[in-house]
């Protein structure tokens, strides 16, 4: 029986949306493993728009759902349409969009909040004891989803790990090609581009995460 997986995107582009490589690797691996996938994104304005060539902020507004459609080839739905009972697992790729659009971790650190529609869906998966995979900086949302004591990784950046610890998470250092699993909560995380120096390095951990999430589903 094919597993059904929801993937939450946060826009399109590493600096203000979903990390494109991480998102595509995730979708590719899920397809290779025979999973049925539906992408979702919140129907909200991006925090800001950055020029990915120069890094400069651009004087325009973009919608997270509309931008996510670039990665999903149009096949993306408003996250408010997602029903936990329709899926076996949830995966969230990284990119600054996870910390700027899906949450405000990039700006408020340990005082951050997760976008309400995203938080409601993630909490529903957690309550149903269905596996969740969080990639790159997306594990910064884990303490808000699961509460204190959740085990996760963003790699080995001491400053970011310290913020997660203050939020109540139990951070576990992890290499780019490995995963960290909180067995009780069925949460799987991997550093990806928090550490990766190439797309192949990013894929090494993401593929393991996808495989493990599907095993847990």
């Amino acid at each position: 029986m094919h597993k059904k997986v929801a993937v939450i995107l946060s826009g399109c582009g590493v600096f203000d949306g979903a990390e494109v490589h991480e998102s595509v690797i995730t979708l590719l691996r899920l397809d290779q493993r025979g999973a049925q996938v539906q992408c979702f994104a919140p129907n909200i304005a991006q925090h800001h728009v950055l020029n990915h060539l120069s890094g400069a902020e651009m004087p325009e507004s973009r919608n997270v759902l509309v931008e996510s459609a670039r990665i999903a080839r149009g096949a993306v739905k408003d996250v408010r349409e997602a029903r936990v009972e329709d899926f076996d697992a949830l995966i969230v790729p990284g990119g600054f969009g996870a910390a700027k659009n899906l949450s405000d971790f990039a700006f408020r650190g340990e005082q951050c909040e997760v976008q309400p529609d995203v938080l409601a869906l993630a909490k529903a998966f957690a309550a149903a004891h269905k596996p969740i995979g969080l990639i790159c900086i997306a594990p910064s949302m884990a303490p808000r989803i699961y509460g204190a004591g959740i085990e996760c990784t963003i790699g080995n950046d001491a400053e970011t790990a310290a913020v997660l610890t203050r939020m109540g998470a139990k951070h576990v250092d992890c290499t780019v090609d490995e995963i960290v699993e909180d067995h009780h909560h069925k949460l799987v995380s991997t550093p990806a581009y928090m550490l990766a120096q190439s797309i192949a390095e990013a894929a090494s951990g993401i593929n393991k995460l996808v495989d493990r999430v599907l095993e847990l589903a």
Side-chain angles (χ1 to χ4, degrees), residues 168-210:
K170 180 180 178 182
H171 182 267
V172 181
D173 281 357
C174 180
T175 56
V176 69
D177 60 340
E178 288 297 335
I179 59 175
V180 168
E181 179 182 345
D182 185 306
H183 298 279
H184 177 71
H185 295 96
K186 292 187 177 180
L187 173 67
V188 187
S189 52
T190 193
Y193 273 107
M194 291 294 290
L195 293 177
Q197 298 298 309
S198 69
I199 190 171
E201 283 192 355
S204 64
I206 293 172
N207 288 342
K208 287 182 180 178
L209 177 141
V210 170

mmCIF file of all heavy atoms in Angstrom, residues 168-210:
data_model
loop_
_atom_site.group_PDB
_atom_site.id
_atom_site.type_symbol
_atom_site.label_atom_id
_atom_site.label_comp_id
_atom_site.label_asym_id
_atom_site.label_seq_id
_atom_site.Cartn_x
_atom_site.Cartn_y
_atom_site.Cartn_z
ATOM 1 N N GLY A 168 13.359 24.377 25.021
ATOM 2 C CA GLY A 168 12.923 23.137 25.647
ATOM 3 C C GLY A 168 13.284 21.879 24.886
ATOM 4 O O GLY A 168 13.001 20.773 25.340
ATOM 5 N N ALA A 169 13.919 22.039 23.726
ATOM 6 C CA ALA A 169 14.304 20.874 22.945
ATOM 7 C C ALA A 169 15.569 20.235 23.512
ATOM 8 O O ALA A 169 16.365 20.885 24.194
ATOM 9 C CB ALA A 169 14.537 21.260 21.484
ATOM 10 N N LYS A 170 15.751 18.972 23.220
ATOM 11 C CA LYS A 170 17.010 18.285 23.496
ATOM 12 C C LYS A 170 17.746 18.176 22.170
ATOM 13 O O LYS A 170 17.416 17.337 21.330
ATOM 14 C CB LYS A 170 16.770 16.899 24.083
ATOM 15 C CG LYS A 170 18.057 16.136 24.385
ATOM 16 C CD LYS A 170 17.784 14.763 24.966
ATOM 17 C CE LYS A 170 19.102 14.005 25.210
ATOM 18 N NZ LYS A 170 18.854 12.634 25.736
ATOM 19 N N HIS A 171 18.730 19.074 21.968
ATOM 20 C CA HIS A 171 19.432 19.077 20.687
ATOM 21 C C HIS A 171 20.496 18.003 20.658
ATOM 22 O O HIS A 171 21.240 17.819 21.626
ATOM 23 C CB HIS A 171 20.087 20.428 20.405
ATOM 24 C CG HIS A 171 20.764 20.469 19.067
ATOM 25 N ND1 HIS A 171 22.094 20.174 18.898
ATOM 26 C CD2 HIS A 171 20.265 20.708 17.831
ATOM 27 C CE1 HIS A 171 22.395 20.251 17.622
ATOM 28 N NE2 HIS A 171 21.310 20.577 16.952
ATOM 29 N N VAL A 172 20.574 17.304 19.525
ATOM 30 C CA VAL A 172 21.568 16.255 19.325
ATOM 31 C C VAL A 172 22.428 16.633 18.131
ATOM 32 O O VAL A 172 21.906 16.832 17.027
ATOM 33 C CB VAL A 172 20.893 14.892 19.065
ATOM 34 C CG1 VAL A 172 21.947 13.802 18.873
ATOM 35 C CG2 VAL A 172 19.936 14.535 20.197
ATOM 36 N N ASP A 173 23.749 16.780 18.332
ATOM 37 C CA ASP A 173 24.640 17.070 17.216
ATOM 38 C C ASP A 173 24.566 15.944 16.187
ATOM 39 O O ASP A 173 24.446 14.763 16.544
ATOM 40 C CB ASP A 173 26.079 17.220 17.697
ATOM 41 C CG ASP A 173 26.335 18.582 18.325
ATOM 42 O OD1 ASP A 173 25.416 19.420 18.342
ATOM 43 O OD2 ASP A 173 27.459 18.802 18.808
ATOM 44 N N CYS A 174 24.650 16.322 14.914
ATOM 45 C CA CYS A 174 24.454 15.347 13.846
ATOM 46 C C CYS A 174 25.253 15.757 12.623
ATOM 47 O O CYS A 174 25.317 16.940 12.288
ATOM 48 C CB CYS A 174 22.964 15.260 13.506
ATOM 49 S SG CYS A 174 22.515 14.089 12.205
ATOM 50 N N THR A 175 25.848 14.790 11.944
ATOM 51 C CA THR A 175 26.569 15.065 10.708
ATOM 52 C C THR A 175 25.579 15.179 9.557
ATOM 53 O O THR A 175 24.414 14.786 9.655
ATOM 54 C CB THR A 175 27.581 13.951 10.400
ATOM 55 O OG1 THR A 175 26.895 12.694 10.349
ATOM 56 C CG2 THR A 175 28.654 13.894 11.485
ATOM 57 N N VAL A 176 26.047 15.723 8.450
ATOM 58 C CA VAL A 176 25.176 16.023 7.314
ATOM 59 C C VAL A 176 24.532 14.775 6.715
ATOM 60 O O VAL A 176 23.432 14.839 6.158
ATOM 61 C CB VAL A 176 25.960 16.800 6.229
ATOM 62 C CG1 VAL A 176 27.014 15.907 5.570
ATOM 63 C CG2 VAL A 176 25.024 17.392 5.183
ATOM 64 N N ASP A 177 25.194 13.627 6.857
ATOM 65 C CA ASP A 177 24.704 12.404 6.221
ATOM 66 C C ASP A 177 23.919 11.505 7.162
ATOM 67 O O ASP A 177 23.642 10.348 6.840
ATOM 68 C CB ASP A 177 25.875 11.620 5.624
ATOM 69 C CG ASP A 177 26.911 11.216 6.662
ATOM 70 O OD1 ASP A 177 26.946 11.830 7.752
ATOM 71 O OD2 ASP A 177 27.699 10.285 6.386
ATOM 72 N N GLU A 178 23.530 12.032 8.322
ATOM 73 C CA GLU A 178 22.810 11.224 9.289
ATOM 74 C C GLU A 178 21.493 11.881 9.697
ATOM 75 O O GLU A 178 21.194 13.012 9.293
ATOM 76 C CB GLU A 178 23.676 10.957 10.528
ATOM 77 C CG GLU A 178 24.815 9.983 10.267
ATOM 78 C CD GLU A 178 24.319 8.596 9.868
ATOM 79 O OE1 GLU A 178 23.177 8.229 10.228
ATOM 80 O OE2 GLU A 178 25.063 7.890 9.170
ATOM 81 N N ILE A 179 20.709 11.169 10.485
ATOM 82 C CA ILE A 179 19.431 11.657 10.986
ATOM 83 C C ILE A 179 19.388 11.502 12.496
ATOM 84 O O ILE A 179 20.146 10.716 13.069
ATOM 85 C CB ILE A 179 18.236 10.899 10.359
ATOM 86 C CG1 ILE A 179 18.329 9.391 10.655
ATOM 87 C CG2 ILE A 179 18.153 11.171 8.862
ATOM 88 C CD1 ILE A 179 17.141 8.583 10.177
ATOM 89 N N VAL A 180 18.516 12.267 13.122
ATOM 90 C CA VAL A 180 18.234 12.107 14.548
ATOM 91 C C VAL A 180 16.751 11.770 14.673
ATOM 92 O O VAL A 180 15.905 12.429 14.070
ATOM 93 C CB VAL A 180 18.563 13.385 15.337
ATOM 94 C CG1 VAL A 180 17.987 13.315 16.755
ATOM 95 C CG2 VAL A 180 20.074 13.596 15.384
ATOM 96 N N GLU A 181 16.465 10.730 15.447
ATOM 97 C CA GLU A 181 15.074 10.302 15.614
ATOM 98 C C GLU A 181 14.676 10.362 17.082
ATOM 99 O O GLU A 181 15.360 9.813 17.945
ATOM 100 C CB GLU A 181 14.895 8.874 15.084
ATOM 101 C CG GLU A 181 13.472 8.354 15.238
ATOM 102 C CD GLU A 181 13.304 6.920 14.744
ATOM 103 O OE1 GLU A 181 14.202 6.434 14.022
ATOM 104 O OE2 GLU A 181 12.286 6.299 15.090
ATOM 105 N N ASP A 182 13.565 11.024 17.343
ATOM 106 C CA ASP A 182 12.931 10.940 18.649
ATOM 107 C C ASP A 182 11.946 9.776 18.546
ATOM 108 O O ASP A 182 10.874 9.903 17.952
ATOM 109 C CB ASP A 182 12.194 12.243 18.993
ATOM 110 C CG ASP A 182 11.620 12.238 20.403
ATOM 111 O OD1 ASP A 182 10.874 11.287 20.720
ATOM 112 O OD2 ASP A 182 11.890 13.178 21.166
ATOM 113 N N HIS A 183 12.329 8.640 19.097
ATOM 114 C CA HIS A 183 11.572 7.410 18.881
ATOM 115 C C HIS A 183 10.169 7.491 19.457
ATOM 116 O O HIS A 183 9.211 6.981 18.865
ATOM 117 C CB HIS A 183 12.330 6.223 19.482
ATOM 118 C CG HIS A 183 13.667 5.990 18.861
ATOM 119 N ND1 HIS A 183 13.821 5.308 17.671
ATOM 120 C CD2 HIS A 183 14.912 6.384 19.242
ATOM 121 C CE1 HIS A 183 15.100 5.269 17.349
ATOM 122 N NE2 HIS A 183 15.781 5.915 18.276
ATOM 123 N N HIS A 184 10.020 8.124 20.606
ATOM 124 C CA HIS A 184 8.711 8.196 21.248
ATOM 125 C C HIS A 184 7.727 9.026 20.429
ATOM 126 O O HIS A 184 6.547 8.668 20.296
ATOM 127 C CB HIS A 184 8.838 8.783 22.654
ATOM 128 C CG HIS A 184 7.526 8.955 23.352
ATOM 129 N ND1 HIS A 184 6.782 7.880 23.802
ATOM 130 C CD2 HIS A 184 6.801 10.067 23.667
ATOM 131 C CE1 HIS A 184 5.669 8.325 24.361
ATOM 132 N NE2 HIS A 184 5.651 9.638 24.285
ATOM 133 N N HIS A 185 8.218 10.136 19.873
ATOM 134 C CA HIS A 185 7.326 11.049 19.159
ATOM 135 C C HIS A 185 7.300 10.832 17.645
ATOM 136 O O HIS A 185 6.555 11.500 16.935
ATOM 137 C CB HIS A 185 7.732 12.501 19.442
ATOM 138 C CG HIS A 185 7.551 12.903 20.864
ATOM 139 N ND1 HIS A 185 8.584 12.857 21.780
ATOM 140 C CD2 HIS A 185 6.456 13.330 21.537
ATOM 141 C CE1 HIS A 185 8.129 13.274 22.952
ATOM 142 N NE2 HIS A 185 6.852 13.554 22.838
ATOM 143 N N LYS A 186 8.139 9.930 17.153
ATOM 144 C CA LYS A 186 8.242 9.667 15.707
ATOM 145 C C LYS A 186 8.620 10.933 14.939
ATOM 146 O O LYS A 186 8.100 11.211 13.855
ATOM 147 C CB LYS A 186 6.933 9.082 15.156
ATOM 148 C CG LYS A 186 6.609 7.682 15.657
ATOM 149 C CD LYS A 186 5.400 7.112 14.941
ATOM 150 C CE LYS A 186 5.110 5.689 15.365
ATOM 151 N NZ LYS A 186 3.936 5.117 14.668
ATOM 152 N N LEU A 187 9.546 11.694 15.499
ATOM 153 C CA LEU A 187 10.087 12.868 14.808
ATOM 154 C C LEU A 187 11.467 12.535 14.275
ATOM 155 O O LEU A 187 12.330 12.053 15.023
ATOM 156 C CB LEU A 187 10.179 14.070 15.755
ATOM 157 C CG LEU A 187 10.896 15.289 15.160
ATOM 158 C CD1 LEU A 187 10.084 15.893 14.025
ATOM 159 C CD2 LEU A 187 11.189 16.327 16.228
ATOM 160 N N VAL A 188 11.691 12.809 12.988
ATOM 161 C CA VAL A 188 12.992 12.577 12.353
ATOM 162 C C VAL A 188 13.503 13.914 11.822
ATOM 163 O O VAL A 188 12.751 14.665 11.196
ATOM 164 C CB VAL A 188 12.883 11.555 11.205
ATOM 165 C CG1 VAL A 188 14.281 11.212 10.669
ATOM 166 C CG2 VAL A 188 12.161 10.290 11.668
ATOM 167 N N SER A 189 14.772 14.222 12.079
ATOM 168 C CA SER A 189 15.356 15.475 11.594
ATOM 169 C C SER A 189 16.746 15.224 11.029
ATOM 170 O O SER A 189 17.408 14.237 11.368
ATOM 171 C CB SER A 189 15.408 16.531 12.711
ATOM 172 O OG SER A 189 16.035 16.026 13.880
ATOM 173 N N THR A 190 17.175 16.122 10.137
ATOM 174 C CA THR A 190 18.502 16.021 9.520
ATOM 175 C C THR A 190 18.990 17.423 9.163
ATOM 176 O O THR A 190 18.181 18.300 8.845
ATOM 177 C CB THR A 190 18.459 15.113 8.269
ATOM 178 O OG1 THR A 190 19.800 14.783 7.860
ATOM 179 C CG2 THR A 190 17.749 15.782 7.109
ATOM 180 N N PRO A 191 20.305 17.675 9.212
ATOM 181 C CA PRO A 191 20.819 19.047 9.022
ATOM 182 C C PRO A 191 20.715 19.600 7.606
ATOM 183 O O PRO A 191 20.536 20.806 7.428
ATOM 184 C CB PRO A 191 22.296 18.943 9.439
ATOM 185 C CG PRO A 191 22.407 17.692 10.235
ATOM 186 C CD PRO A 191 21.371 16.770 9.690
ATOM 187 N N ALA A 192 20.878 18.738 6.594
ATOM 188 C CA ALA A 192 20.868 19.187 5.194
ATOM 189 C C ALA A 192 21.778 20.424 5.020
ATOM 190 O O ALA A 192 22.937 20.397 5.413
ATOM 191 C CB ALA A 192 19.450 19.444 4.718
ATOM 192 N N TYR A 193 21.236 21.518 4.476
ATOM 193 C CA TYR A 193 22.088 22.667 4.170
ATOM 194 C C TYR A 193 22.490 23.499 5.387
ATOM 195 O O TYR A 193 23.180 24.514 5.230
ATOM 196 C CB TYR A 193 21.440 23.561 3.118
ATOM 197 C CG TYR A 193 21.757 23.119 1.702
ATOM 198 C CD1 TYR A 193 20.783 22.503 0.915
ATOM 199 C CD2 TYR A 193 23.030 23.283 1.156
ATOM 200 C CE1 TYR A 193 21.067 22.092 -0.379
ATOM 201 C CE2 TYR A 193 23.319 22.868 -0.133
ATOM 202 C CZ TYR A 193 22.343 22.275 -0.894
ATOM 203 O OH TYR A 193 22.630 21.858 -2.177
ATOM 204 N N MET A 194 22.118 23.087 6.588
ATOM 205 C CA MET A 194 22.748 23.678 7.766
ATOM 206 C C MET A 194 24.227 23.303 7.778
ATOM 207 O O MET A 194 25.056 24.004 8.346
ATOM 208 C CB MET A 194 22.079 23.183 9.045
ATOM 209 C CG MET A 194 20.662 23.693 9.266
ATOM 210 S SD MET A 194 20.551 25.482 9.537
ATOM 211 C CE MET A 194 21.284 25.644 11.166
ATOM 212 N N LEU A 195 24.556 22.179 7.114
ATOM 213 C CA LEU A 195 25.939 21.701 7.053
ATOM 214 C C LEU A 195 26.412 21.391 5.638
ATOM 215 O O LEU A 195 27.602 21.458 5.348
ATOM 216 C CB LEU A 195 26.097 20.425 7.896
ATOM 217 C CG LEU A 195 25.946 20.554 9.411
ATOM 218 C CD1 LEU A 195 26.070 19.177 10.054
ATOM 219 C CD2 LEU A 195 27.005 21.503 9.982
ATOM 220 N N ALA A 196 25.517 21.043 4.750
ATOM 221 C CA ALA A 196 25.898 20.536 3.427
ATOM 222 C C ALA A 196 26.697 21.562 2.622
ATOM 223 O O ALA A 196 26.369 22.745 2.611
ATOM 224 C CB ALA A 196 24.663 20.119 2.648
ATOM 225 N N GLN A 197 27.706 21.073 1.943
ATOM 226 C CA GLN A 197 28.519 21.891 1.049
ATOM 227 C C GLN A 197 28.223 21.589 -0.415
ATOM 228 O O GLN A 197 28.813 22.187 -1.309
ATOM 229 C CB GLN A 197 30.005 21.647 1.328
ATOM 230 C CG GLN A 197 30.429 22.023 2.734
ATOM 231 C CD GLN A 197 30.237 23.498 3.029
ATOM 232 O OE1 GLN A 197 30.690 24.349 2.261
ATOM 233 N NE2 GLN A 197 29.561 23.801 4.124
ATOM 234 N N SER A 198 27.296 20.657 -0.639
ATOM 235 C CA SER A 198 26.924 20.297 -2.015
ATOM 236 C C SER A 198 25.533 19.679 -1.986
ATOM 237 O O SER A 198 25.044 19.252 -0.932
ATOM 238 C CB SER A 198 27.917 19.301 -2.608
ATOM 239 O OG SER A 198 27.802 18.038 -1.962
ATOM 240 N N ILE A 199 24.912 19.597 -3.156
ATOM 241 C CA ILE A 199 23.589 18.994 -3.239
ATOM 242 C C ILE A 199 23.652 17.508 -2.902
ATOM 243 O O ILE A 199 22.714 16.952 -2.313
ATOM 244 C CB ILE A 199 22.969 19.243 -4.636
ATOM 245 C CG1 ILE A 199 21.490 18.839 -4.651
ATOM 246 C CG2 ILE A 199 23.762 18.552 -5.727
ATOM 247 C CD1 ILE A 199 20.760 19.261 -5.915
ATOM 248 N N ALA A 200 24.751 16.860 -3.226
ATOM 249 C CA ALA A 200 24.900 15.439 -2.905
ATOM 250 C C ALA A 200 24.964 15.230 -1.397
ATOM 251 O O ALA A 200 24.387 14.274 -0.867
ATOM 252 C CB ALA A 200 26.147 14.871 -3.577
ATOM 253 N N GLU A 201 25.683 16.121 -0.700
ATOM 254 C CA GLU A 201 25.728 16.014 0.758
ATOM 255 C C GLU A 201 24.354 16.228 1.363
ATOM 256 O O GLU A 201 23.956 15.512 2.286
ATOM 257 C CB GLU A 201 26.724 17.029 1.339
ATOM 258 C CG GLU A 201 28.167 16.631 1.179
ATOM 259 C CD GLU A 201 29.098 17.502 2.000
ATOM 260 O OE1 GLU A 201 28.646 18.485 2.623
ATOM 261 O OE2 GLU A 201 30.304 17.179 2.019
ATOM 262 N N ALA A 202 23.622 17.199 0.860
ATOM 263 C CA ALA A 202 22.269 17.441 1.364
ATOM 264 C C ALA A 202 21.396 16.203 1.156
ATOM 265 O O ALA A 202 20.633 15.804 2.047
ATOM 266 C CB ALA A 202 21.652 18.647 0.672
ATOM 267 N N ALA A 203 21.526 15.589 -0.012
ATOM 268 C CA ALA A 203 20.710 14.413 -0.328
ATOM 269 C C ALA A 203 21.029 13.233 0.572
ATOM 270 O O ALA A 203 20.138 12.427 0.883
ATOM 271 C CB ALA A 203 20.907 14.022 -1.799
ATOM 272 N N SER A 204 22.273 13.122 1.022
ATOM 273 C CA SER A 204 22.671 11.954 1.808
ATOM 274 C C SER A 204 21.856 11.829 3.092
ATOM 275 O O SER A 204 21.457 10.734 3.484
ATOM 276 C CB SER A 204 24.167 12.006 2.133
ATOM 277 O OG SER A 204 24.478 13.125 2.957
ATOM 278 N N GLY A 205 21.583 12.956 3.735
ATOM 279 C CA GLY A 205 20.779 12.921 4.949
ATOM 280 C C GLY A 205 19.289 12.942 4.665
ATOM 281 O O GLY A 205 18.504 12.267 5.336
ATOM 282 N N ILE A 206 18.882 13.728 3.667
ATOM 283 C CA ILE A 206 17.452 13.834 3.351
ATOM 284 C C ILE A 206 16.898 12.491 2.906
ATOM 285 O O ILE A 206 15.784 12.104 3.297
ATOM 286 C CB ILE A 206 17.209 14.912 2.274
ATOM 287 C CG1 ILE A 206 17.528 16.306 2.835
ATOM 288 C CG2 ILE A 206 15.768 14.861 1.777
ATOM 289 C CD1 ILE A 206 17.514 17.408 1.797
ATOM 290 N N ASN A 207 17.649 11.754 2.094
ATOM 291 C CA ASN A 207 17.180 10.438 1.652
ATOM 292 C C ASN A 207 16.967 9.506 2.837
ATOM 293 O O ASN A 207 15.983 8.754 2.884
ATOM 294 C CB ASN A 207 18.165 9.821 0.659
ATOM 295 C CG ASN A 207 18.138 10.493 -0.696
ATOM 296 O OD1 ASN A 207 17.194 11.199 -1.032
ATOM 297 N ND2 ASN A 207 19.181 10.282 -1.487
ATOM 298 N N LYS A 208 17.881 9.562 3.813
ATOM 299 C CA LYS A 208 17.720 8.727 5.010
ATOM 300 C C LYS A 208 16.493 9.160 5.810
ATOM 301 O O LYS A 208 15.771 8.323 6.353
ATOM 302 C CB LYS A 208 18.974 8.809 5.887
ATOM 303 C CG LYS A 208 20.178 8.070 5.324
ATOM 304 C CD LYS A 208 21.368 8.151 6.270
ATOM 305 C CE LYS A 208 22.561 7.396 5.696
ATOM 306 N NZ LYS A 208 23.755 7.486 6.577
ATOM 307 N N LEU A 209 16.271 10.471 5.881
ATOM 308 C CA LEU A 209 15.099 10.967 6.601
ATOM 309 C C LEU A 209 13.819 10.477 5.942
ATOM 310 O O LEU A 209 12.906 9.980 6.621
ATOM 311 C CB LEU A 209 15.127 12.488 6.668
ATOM 312 C CG LEU A 209 13.925 13.170 7.338
ATOM 313 C CD1 LEU A 209 14.372 14.361 8.192
ATOM 314 C CD2 LEU A 209 12.890 13.630 6.310
ATOM 315 N N VAL A 210 13.723 10.637 4.627
ATOM 316 C CA VAL A 210 12.515 10.201 3.919
ATOM 317 C C VAL A 210 12.296 8.700 4.112
ATOM 318 O O VAL A 210 11.177 8.250 4.409
ATOM 319 C CB VAL A 210 12.602 10.546 2.414
ATOM 320 C CG1 VAL A 210 11.466 9.872 1.641
ATOM 321 C CG2 VAL A 210 12.559 12.054 2.217
#
